[in-house]
Each structure stands twice: as structure tokens, then as C-alpha cells.
Amino acid sequence: MTMSPPSAAVVRGRRTIITTLGVTQIMAWGSSYYLPAVIAPAVALGTGWPLAWVVGGLSLGLLTAGVISPHVGSSIERHGGRNVLAFSAGCIGLGQIGLAVAPNLAAYIIAWLVIGLGMGAGLYDAAFGTLGRLYGHGARSAITTLTLFGGFASTICWPISAFLLGEIGWRGTCLAYAAVQLCLALPLYLVILPRGLPQPAAKAASSRAVTPALQTGSNLTIMIVLAATLTLAAVISSTLSVHLLTILQKGGMTLAAAVGLGVLVGPSQVAARTIEMVIARLHHPIWTKFASVTFVAIGVSALWLGMPIIPLALAFYGAGIGLESIARGTLPLAIFGSNGYAKLMGRLAMPSLIAQAAAPSLGALLLERFGAYGTLATLSGLALVNVALACGLGWLFFSRRDIQVQPQ
């Protein structure tokens, strides 16, 4: 009888794969989502292109990512994540070259559409789907660890981007990131990640006894509520990621003070994710979701009400969005199980990414029409609605009589 070869996931080692994905996530986020915050003013100044369109390239990229995300999830489900993630690195790299050589605004926008393909195939949702495909229910701790890496993306890449911008200009910065994607991330995906899918025995060995999960088609209501709460969380975080400094300045702060307070969000994300990693085995991921939406609601509402302890409000908000990244990957796995998980993540990512693409522009309209106070009031209301959605999701899940909820 012919023995099946050991899974490459086992050969490479779980820690090696997670570390590889963690490092490449930092590079992917830094080369795409976090790049315009640093280079956009220089692009607009150097080319004369409207700043709104320069920044809007990212929104169009996110829209592209949302459109392709269901196909990305299906591909990972069928073939594993190796080639999909390699495709992502190739698209981001080629898109960065396109930005660097863009002779006009149209070429610049097309380059962002190519980067959008890479974002859809390579950011959190695709990485989560890859881990779920490799490790089944045992992917929860891997997903949590991956978000710890991702939490450092802006902290690491913003200073690097600023340094490169000063030394070699925005076009040189884009070429540098292209080299990182094509010469580092792409080979890492191809060398480290396993070919094909893990052997059933290896996948089973990485999982432990778990609570029976719902089938993805068994409760459409739960699917809809889950997608709604994930999308609403993405709208709030995307809006504030772009407009937080402006909101703080409109409240009377100087730019330096706003930046000094704004940086509290990143460490708060990492701190919350670290605590979650330590205690995750003690609770079901649905409690992580409850904590996330509650912290975000407290933080945003405190900013709206004008509480004098703004650092505390930002710390709550940062902790909430930090936990949201974990809940985004672990809660669908815990509710619906590992079968079809990658495909499910692709479907859930579509409305979230499209909403993220629109949120900054809608936030700008809110600021223009209603000012910082009205914008925060709107976001606070959305955050409270999301608390209600999360509670409704919990009620729908816990009311199922065919499951017993235990830590996953």
C-alpha cells in the first residue's frame, strides 16, 4: 500500500507558516492600505493631480478587492492559499511599479486597481482562509497570532515610507515596495506555504475536539447578521482611520497633539490582541466579538460626549478594533466550522471591503455637512447599532438547541 506523503504544512511547521504569513501581512498592508496616508500629499504636489483622486485610488482598490473576494475564498477552499497569496504579492508588486511609472492620473488609477486585486487576494481574509484550510478548527490560535503581526503594520511601515519618501521620492518609494513584494513576499509564499491541501490526517491532528458547528446553509439569518456586524465594524474603523486626526483637530487640538494621541490606537490594538491570545482557550470567540463592539462603542461615544480623558477613549477604541480583527477570523470558524471556511471568508469579505471603500468619502461628507461633533454622533450611533447586532447574533447562536457552546 502506498503511503501518503506528509503534509507540507506539517513539514514546514506551524510556527514557520504563521511567522511567514505574519511578516508578509505587514508588508502587504504597508505596500497597499497604509501607503497613501504617507505619500498622497507628495503625489498630489508633484503631479498636480487632485488629492481626492490620489487618495481615491485606495478606495477603488478596496472596491476591486471586495468584488473578487468571493472568488478568492472559493479558490483557497479548492486549492489552498499558496498560489492565491503568491498572486497577491505579484499584483501588489506590479501595481506598485505601475504607480511609480504612471505618466497620468488614469494610469495611476489603473495601477491601484491592480493593487486592489492583490489586496483582495492577500490581506487578512485570504490569510485567515489559508490558515483555516490548513488547520481546521485549530486555526483559532494561528489567526490570533497573525493579527498580532498585522497590528504592527502601520507602526513599522509608516516610518519606513516616510524615510523612503524623503530619500528617494514617492515614485522611488513605490519601486522599493514593489521589490519587497516581488523579491521577498512572493518567494516566501512559494517556498514556505504547502502545495495543494493538507492531508486529512494532518489536518485532523492540528484540531482538537470541538463543539459541533452550524452548516453555512443551515441558518441564513445568522449569516446575514454576522455579515452585517462585520461590515458595520469595518465602516467605523475605516472612517476613523482616515479622519481621526481631522476630528481631533476640529475639536481644538493642534496637529502635533492629535498625532500624539492618535498613536495610542495602535498599541491598544496590540495589547488587546495579546490578552486575547492568552485567554482565548477559556472562552468562545463570540465573547471576543461582544468585547470588540462594546469597546468600540465606549471609545467612540466617549469622544462624541467630549469626555476629558481622550486617551482613555482612544484606548477603548483601539482595543475594540484590535479584537475585531480576531473576531472577524475566528467567529465564522467557530460558528460554521472549518468545512467551507475559506469560501465563507471570501463571501463575508465582499460587503466589508466595499463598505470600507465607500466609508472615507462618506466620512468626508459628514465632516463637511455636520462637523466633527455630528460625525462622531453618527459613528457613535452606528457603534451602538453594532452592539445590538452582536447581541442579536449571540441570541440566535445560543438559542440553537442542536449545539453546546464551549471554548473553541
Side-chain angles (χ1 to χ4, degrees):
M1 182 175 65
T2 303
M3 297 293 291
S4 297
S7 168
V10 175
V11 172
R12 297 297 182 195
R14 181 184 176 103
R15 183 175 299 177
T16 300
I17 289 176
I18 295 171
T19 300
T20 297
L21 288 177
V23 171
T24 53
Q25 279 295 294
I26 291 174
M27 293 187 290
W29 284 94
S31 300
S32 58
Y33 188 85
Y34 289 119
L35 185 61
V38 178
I39 72 166
V43 175
L45 181 63
T47 61
W49 302 335
L51 181 61
W53 277 102
V54 171
V55 176
L58 173 60
S59 293
L60 293 173
L62 287 169
L63 181 62
T64 303
V67 170
I68 71 164
S69 60
H71 304 288
V72 169
S74 296
S75 181
I76 293 174
E77 190 65 39
R78 291 194 304 268
H79 308 295
R82 177 178 179 269
N83 291 336
V84 172
L85 292 173
F87 171 79
S88 165
C91 285
I92 295 177
L94 292 176
Q96 288 293 344
I97 293 174
L99 293 181
V101 302
N104 51 51
L105 182 58
Y108 175 87
I109 294 298
I110 291 172
W112 267 110
L113 297 179
V114 176
I115 293 174
L117 294 174
M119 294 168 70
L123 295 185
Y124 270 154
D125 296 297
F128 292 161
T130 299
L131 291 173
R133 199 68 184 88
L134 287 173
Y135 304 121
H137 273 286
R140 179 181 177 182
S141 62
I143 289 170
T144 302
T145 304
L146 185 63
T147 64
L148 281 178
F149 281 92
F152 290 102
S154 60
T155 304
I156 292 173
C157 292
W158 274 346
I160 291 175
S161 298
F163 171 78
L164 291 173
L165 181 63
E167 294 294 319
I168 56 178
W170 71 269
R171 293 184 187 272
T173 300
C174 292
L175 287 176
Y177 278 122
V180 167
Q181 289 297 319
L182 297 176
C183 301
L184 185 57
L186 178 58
L188 279 174
Y189 286 136
L190 294 176
V191 171
I192 301 298
L193 295 185
R195 295 177 179 271
L197 301 175
Q199 299 296 325
K203 188 173 179 180
S206 67
S207 303
R208 52 180 175 158
V210 294
T211 305
L214 305 177
Q215 296 297 314
T216 54
S218 67
N219 198 316
L220 181 61
T221 303
I222 288 181
M223 279 280 295
I224 292 173
V225 176
L226 176 60
T229 185
L230 294 178
T231 300
L232 198 51
V235 167
I236 295 169
S237 63
S238 181
T239 302
L240 281 178
S241 69
V242 174
H243 298 296
L244 178 60
L245 297 184
T246 301
I247 288 172
L248 292 176
Q249 289 179 83
K250 285 182 177 292
M253 290 187 186
T254 64
L255 176 59
V259 171
L261 288 173
V263 298
L264 294 174
V265 174
S268 299
Q269 291 185 60
V270 174
R273 290 169 181 170
T274 302
I275 294 172
E276 165 68 13
M277 185 171 64
V278 173
I279 66 174
R281 68 184 185 279
L282 304 177
H283 64 272
H284 191 278
I286 202 160
W287 298 109
T288 305
K289 180 63 179 177
F290 288 154
S292 167
V293 295
T294 301
F295 288 169
V296 168
I298 291 173
V300 177
S301 298
L303 286 174
W304 169 49
L305 294 173
M307 287 183 60
I309 312 177
I310 292 179
L312 184 61
L314 292 175
F316 268 108
Y317 168 71
I321 61 174
L323 292 176
E324 174 62 29
S325 297
I326 297 175
R328 182 184 183 91
T330 59
L331 186 54
L333 180 66
I335 292 178
F336 294 109
S338 58
N339 290 332
Y341 170 73
K343 184 177 181 179
L344 173 63
M345 288 304 297
R347 292 167 62 187
L348 291 173
M350 184 177 186
S352 294
L353 289 168
I354 292 175
Q356 280 182 280
S361 297
L362 294 176
L365 288 175
L366 283 173
L367 279 169
E368 182 180 348
R369 292 277 186 94
F370 305 108
Y373 185 81
T375 301
L376 286 173
T378 303
L379 293 176
S380 178
L382 292 177
L384 292 174
V385 169
N386 212 20
V387 172
L389 283 173
C391 290
L393 178 65
W395 181 82
L396 289 169
F397 182 63
F398 290 140
S399 65
R400 293 290 301 232
R401 297 182 180 274
D402 54 339
I403 60 173
Q404 294 179 339
V405 179
Q406 300 171 355
Q408 298 294 307

